[in-house]
């Protein structure tokens, strides 16, 4: 019996340590995203780049996402599922906001600065690859961490799109690559939002079996 008790205690301590690791990683990636939002949004304004500004707003959204993940951590399946649903809604809102920005760019846009796009896009990519590496081992931990990893992976894809757009803007002198990449980012946002909302909704129902 003593051996069984020690084994259970060891499992509990290991689980708590795992949560502490998650919290530390989420704090780091949250700080990275809020800092990069400020830097990249300023760069997007200076470059007049729709794709860069959309990516920076996504950074801000992710900072909020990580804050929600921290709030839900250690609060059980119900809170984790609720946080996932909130994150899905945030992603969806930003996807729709990018579509609005694209429409405005089509009507009033001018070619952005490809050099600034390349510089700030590269900085953002480095930041998001760091976040992705930190989150990798937690990607299948629970619905909360899985949705957080999903956000970070989307960011890397968006950063690559910004760099491609910067190269095409530099080569053509036209605004259409910036607009096209903004549209792709919007599609990624909305697709991801639907996936996160679906998984979060399933987890919410599982946490509330009486509400099926």
């Amino acid at each position: 019996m003593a051996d069984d008790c020690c084994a259970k205690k060891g499992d509990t301590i290991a689980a708590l340590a795992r949560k502490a690791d998650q919290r530390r990683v989420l704090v780091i990636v949250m700080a990275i995203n809020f800092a990069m939002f400020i830097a990249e949004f300023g760069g997007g304004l200076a470059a007049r780049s729709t794709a860069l500004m959309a990516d920076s707003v996504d950074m801000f959204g992710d900072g909020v996402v990580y804050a929600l993940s921290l709030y839900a951590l250690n609060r059980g399946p119900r809170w984790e599922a609720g946080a996932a649903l909130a994150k899905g809604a945030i992603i969806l809102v930003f996807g729709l906001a990018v579509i609005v920005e694209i429409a405005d760019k089509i009507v009033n846009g001018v070619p952005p600065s490809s050099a600034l796009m390349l510089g700030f896009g590269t900085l953002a990519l480095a930041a998001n690859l760091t976040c992705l590496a930190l989150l990798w081992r937690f990607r299948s931990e629970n619905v909360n961490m899985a949705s957080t990893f999903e956000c970070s992976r989307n960011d890397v894809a968006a950063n690559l799109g910004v760099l491609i757009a910067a190269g095409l803007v530099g080569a053509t002198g036209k605004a259409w690559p910036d607009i096209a990449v903004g549209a792709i980012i919007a599609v990624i946002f909305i697709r991801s939002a639907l996936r996160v909302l679906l998984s979060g909704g399933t987890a919410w129902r599982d946490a509330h079996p009486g509400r099926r």
Side-chain angles (χ1 to χ4, degrees):
M1 182 176 292
D3 289 342
D4 183 59
C5 180
C6 289
K8 290 182 179 179
K9 184 177 180 181
D11 290 343
T12 301
I13 292 173
L16 290 173
R18 188 74 165 171
K19 293 291 186 179
D21 286 345
Q22 290 181 39
R23 183 174 294 279
R24 182 169 59 253
V25 166
L26 287 172
V27 168
I28 293 171
V29 297
M30 181 179 66
I32 290 173
N33 274 269
F34 280 134
M36 281 306 306
F37 161 68
I38 296 172
E40 195 177 13
F41 189 79
L45 286 175
R48 303 186 305 275
S49 169
T50 299
L52 201 58
M53 291 178 66
D55 193 44
S56 73
V57 173
D58 178 43
M59 286 281 198
F60 177 77
D62 284 346
V64 176
V65 162
Y66 297 134
L68 285 170
S69 294
L70 281 167
Y71 185 75
L73 209 58
N74 293 327
R75 293 177 181 267
R78 177 181 178 183
W79 284 97
E80 290 178 351
L85 288 171
K87 284 180 279 189
I90 289 170
I91 298 170
L92 182 60
V93 168
F94 281 118
L96 296 175
V98 172
I99 291 176
V100 173
E101 174 65 19
I102 289 169
D104 180 71
K105 187 78 170 185
I106 290 173
V107 175
N108 303 309
V110 295
S113 167
S114 59
L116 288 176
M117 287 180 69
L118 282 170
F120 282 97
T122 300
L123 183 61
L125 177 61
N128 280 317
L129 285 174
T130 300
C131 292
L132 195 67
L134 289 169
L135 292 166
W136 178 263
R137 62 191 173 116
F138 300 117
R139 66 190 185 281
S140 301
E141 191 77 13
N142 52 50
V143 65
N144 184 35
M145 295 303 291
S147 60
T148 301
F149 179 80
E150 176 93 10
C151 293
S152 186
R153 186 177 61 186
N154 286 347
D155 289 343
V156 171
N159 295 150
L160 292 173
V162 170
L163 294 178
I164 292 171
L168 290 174
V169 167
T172 65
K174 304 293 185 181
W176 67 261
D178 187 53
I179 295 172
V181 168
I184 293 171
I185 292 175
V187 171
I188 292 174
F189 282 0
I190 294 172
R191 177 176 174 272
S192 178
L194 295 177
R195 289 179 59 184
V196 172
L197 287 170
L198 181 61
S199 62
T202 300
W204 179 267
R205 288 192 298 271
D206 290 344
H208 300 76
R211 297 186 182 183
R212 289 179 183 274

